[in-house]
Amino acid sequence: MTRPSTLVSSIIATALIVALTPPVVRGSDPWPAPYKTYAQIESEILAVEVANPDIVDVQSIGSSYEGRQLYVVKISDNVLIDEGEPEVLIDALHHGNEHVTVAQALDTIAALVDGYATDPSIANLVDSTVTWVVVAMNPDGLDYDLSVAGGLNWRKNRQPIPRSTSIGTDLNRNYSAYWRCCSVTVRNPASRMYAGPARFSAPESRALRDFVISRAFGGTQRIAIYLSLHAAGRYVAWPIFPRAAGIPVMTIDDRMTMNELVAGMAARNNYRAERYSPTGGTSTDWMHYTYKVPSILMEIGEYTRAVSRFYPSAEAMAAEVAGNRPAILWLIGQAACPADAAGLAVRRCGPRFDDFERAAGWVVNPDGTDTATSGRFERGDPARVRIGRRTMQLGDAASGYRALVTGALAGRYANSYDLDGVTTARSPQITLGADPGNLVFNASFSYGSTATSADWFRVWVEAEDGTRTLVHQRLAASRYRWAAYTEVRVSLARWANQSVRVVIGAGDVGRPSLVEVAVDDVRVERR
C-alpha cells in the first residue's frame, strides 16, 4: 500500500467544513446530486484524514483500470501503528450504479470519526479495533454511470474485454472462489454479470485481494469480519457452501457464527436475515473460502425490478443509511470475537484455533530431520482406508473436511500411503496470557497388528527458547487399533505469559507396520 500524494490546499481548507453525512434534498442541485462523483468522494475522505490525523489514515491499495486511485480508509487509535488489534473490512460500490453503498460507507466513517470524541461506546470501538473502509471499489464504473443525466445504470468496470467489443467485468463475479460456477451468463462478455476472462483479471478485484493478503501475519488473517455493501433488497446474508457446490468448506461453527452475526444485524436494522448459495466469483465467497473469515453481504434499499431502485431520492438514501448505522457499528464491535454471538467464545476465541480448513502457518519437518518416506503430515481431505470392515484412516475430519493427516490418499492397499518413518509439524507462534486456557485437540492414532511400542504419536509444547516438553504420547502395541478421534486436553499453566508453539509428531520406526495419524481442531481455549 502507498500513501496518497500531497493534498492540495483546497482539500486542506475543506477539512474543516466537510461532513460525511447522507445527502440532503436541494431542488437546485445539478446532476448527479445526491450521488457523489469519485472526485467528490476522494476529496471528502482525504479531508477527513487531514482533520483527524490521530485516528484516520487514507491509503491507496492500487489503481482502477482507468488509473483512479483505490483508497482504503483506516480508522483506529494510534492509526499509524500496527497494534495487532482485530480488524473489520467494509467495502462499497463493487457495482458502479449502487450509489447508496457509497453513502453508507461514508456514513460509517463519519459515525466512527465524529463519535470518537462524544460517544464512549464508539470511542471503545476505535480504541480496540481497526476498521478499514473501501468507499468505492469501482470508481471508473461510478463516474461512467453518472456521466449522463439520469444515470446509465452501469454495473461493471470499464476494462475492455480481449477479443470482444464488450466493455467491463462485473467485479463481484471476478474473485477466484467458484468463479464462473453458477450461471452461463457470467461467461458472456455482453452480460452485466460477466465474470471476466480469468480470475482476478480486473485490477480492482486484484487490489482488494492483495490488500487482504497484506493483512495476514504468521498464518493468521487479522481481518476478523468482512462486510460487503450492495443494493438492493433490504437483507443481510451469509454465504453457505453445500457439498453440491463442489468443495464443502464450512464447519458447523462457521455456520453458527455467520448466522448469528447476520441475525444480530437484522435485529438492528429490520432487514431480513438470509443465507445464499454461491453465485460465483463474489468477494464474500472468496473471503470466507480463502480465510475462513465471517463474510457478510448487505443489500441496501428496497428491491424492485425497476432501474430506479439504483437511483433513490436523497430522503430514501438518508433513511436507509441511518437505519443501517446501528447494525454496522454493532458488527464492528464483534471483531474481537465473532464467534461469541454464537456462544462459541471459549472454543473459537482463544489465542489460537486451527481446524486445518485453510493454510494457517503450520510447517512440516520444521527441524529438517524427518525421515518419512511416505505418509508425511499434510493438510488434506483424508480418504477412508479400510481393512475388511474396519477403518484405519477416517474418511472425514473431526470438523469440516480437512485435517492434518499422515498421507491423505487411499491406495490399492491399506498401507499404500501410510506413515513410514518420522514426520513432524509445528504451529505458528501462540502468545499466552497470565492465565492461559487449555491446549485442546482431536487426534486419531491407528495401527496394524505388526506395530510395536517403537511406533508412536506425540505432542510437544515448544517454549520461547526452543526447548520442547512432551505433553501427550500414545505408543502402539502388537494388535489392531482402529481409527477414531478422541479429544485431548493439556494444561498450559506452566507457560503463562510466554509465546509457544505446538509440535505434533508421529513415527513408524519399528518393524514394518501400518500406522496412520490424524489431528484436527487444535486450539488454545479462551479463559
Side-chain angles (χ1 to χ4, degrees), residues 235 237-242 274-279 282-285 295-297:
Y235 65 85
W238 54 277
I240 185 170
F241 300 93
E274 297 186 359
R275 62 184 188 178
Y276 67 90
S277 295
T279 50
T282 68
S283 63
T284 43
D285 290 349
S295 301
I296 296 171
L297 169 76

Side-chain angles (χ1 to χ4, degrees), residues 90 95 110 132 152 194 198 223 225 233 235 341-342 379-380 441 447 508 524 526:
I90 301 170
H95 300 135
W132 303 94
L152 292 169
Y194 177 57
I223 297 170
I225 294 175
Y235 65 85
R379 183 182 68 90
F441 56 89
Y447 43 84
D508 177 10
V524 176
R526 179 181 182 179

Side-chain angles (χ1 to χ4, degrees), residues 93-239:
L93 203 86
H94 267 84
H95 300 135
N97 57 353
E98 296 180 357
H99 302 284
V100 68
T101 67
V102 171
Q104 193 75 65
L106 292 174
D107 180 81
T108 300
I109 296 170
L112 293 172
V113 172
D114 296 345
Y116 187 64
T118 60
D119 187 329
S121 64
I122 291 179
N124 182 63
L125 290 184
V126 176
D127 288 342
S128 61
T129 309
V130 175
T131 302
W132 303 94
V133 183
V134 182
V135 179
M137 280 293 302
N138 187 3
D140 300 349
L142 167 70
D143 279 358
Y144 182 70
D145 184 56
L146 297 178
S147 64
V148 172
L152 292 169
N153 193 27
W154 185 262
R155 177 182 173 95
K156 300 187 287 184
N157 75 351
R158 294 295 298 163
Q159 184 178 12
I161 306 304
R163 298 178 298 279
S164 174
T165 59
S166 296
I167 298 292
T169 293
D170 182 341
L171 298 181
N172 208 39
R173 299 294 184 272
N174 192 235
Y175 294 85
S176 58
Y178 302 100
W179 181 72
R180 287 190 171 187
C181 83
C182 308
S183 170
V184 295
T185 61
V186 300
R187 301 170 187 172
N188 179 3
S191 168
R192 288 165 52 80
M193 294 184 291
Y194 177 57
R199 298 171 177 85
F200 296 113
S201 57
E204 298 88 351
S205 60
R206 287 199 304 272
L208 189 68
R209 176 200 64 187
D210 294 346
F211 170 72
V212 171
I213 289 172
S214 77
R215 303 315 303 158
F217 299 87
T220 300
Q221 176 53 252
R222 288 265 181 84
I223 297 170
I225 294 175
Y226 172 54
L227 173 64
S228 191
L229 304 175
H230 291 263
R234 304 197 84 237
Y235 65 85
V236 285
W238 54 277

Side-chain angles (χ1 to χ4, degrees), residues 21-74:
T21 56
V24 297
V25 179
R26 298 186 185 92
S28 61
D29 279 352
W31 177 262
Y35 319 115
K36 296 181 184 294
T37 66
Y38 196 63
Q40 291 173 320
I41 294 169
E42 183 178 45
S43 293
E44 290 193 14
I45 61 176
L46 294 176
V48 169
E49 178 190 39
V50 170
N52 303 273
D54 292 337
I55 61 170
V56 177
D57 183 37
V58 179
Q59 304 173 15
S60 172
I61 62 172
S63 301
S64 68
Y65 173 76
E66 293 182 339
R68 295 174 175 87
Q69 290 295 302
L70 300 171
Y71 292 111
V72 63
V73 181
K74 179 184 180 183

